[in-house]
Amino acid sequence: MTPLMSPSEFAADALVRAYLHGRTLPKILHGAVVWVAETRLRSGKRPVLDATLCADIDSQAIAPRHPAPLFAATVIAVAEGA
């Protein structure tokens, strides 16, 4: 059974999953990244996912077996100002 998450842990997990956008991390690494993000959220440190952490995530992320739908990629590109 998965333990319950605190609101800050839930928010950090959602933030990390949104950044991953369909990619995954090994379970232990995902937990560590969520812990770092939660610590930054609770302390008020911004950005929560800084360039160094994002680079670390990107280097370890595993691509999904099926590519994300084109629509979702377009939405992200528009949201990022591309």
Side-chain angles (χ1 to χ4, degrees), residues 42-55:
R42 285 189 291 143
S43 69
K45 183 176 180 184
R46 299 292 186 269
V48 175
L49 299 179
D50 64 9
T52 302
L53 185 56
C54 287

Side-chain angles (χ1 to χ4, degrees), residues 12-48:
D13 184 64
L15 184 63
V16 170
R17 288 180 190 277
Y19 179 77
L20 284 167
H21 188 66
R23 299 176 297 164
T24 59
L25 290 171
K27 189 174 183 173
I28 188 110
L29 185 55
H30 181 87
V33 171
V34 168
W35 179 81
V36 169
E38 180 191 16
T39 301
R40 291 177 178 182
L41 277 173
R42 285 189 291 143
S43 69
K45 183 176 180 184
R46 299 292 186 269
V48 175

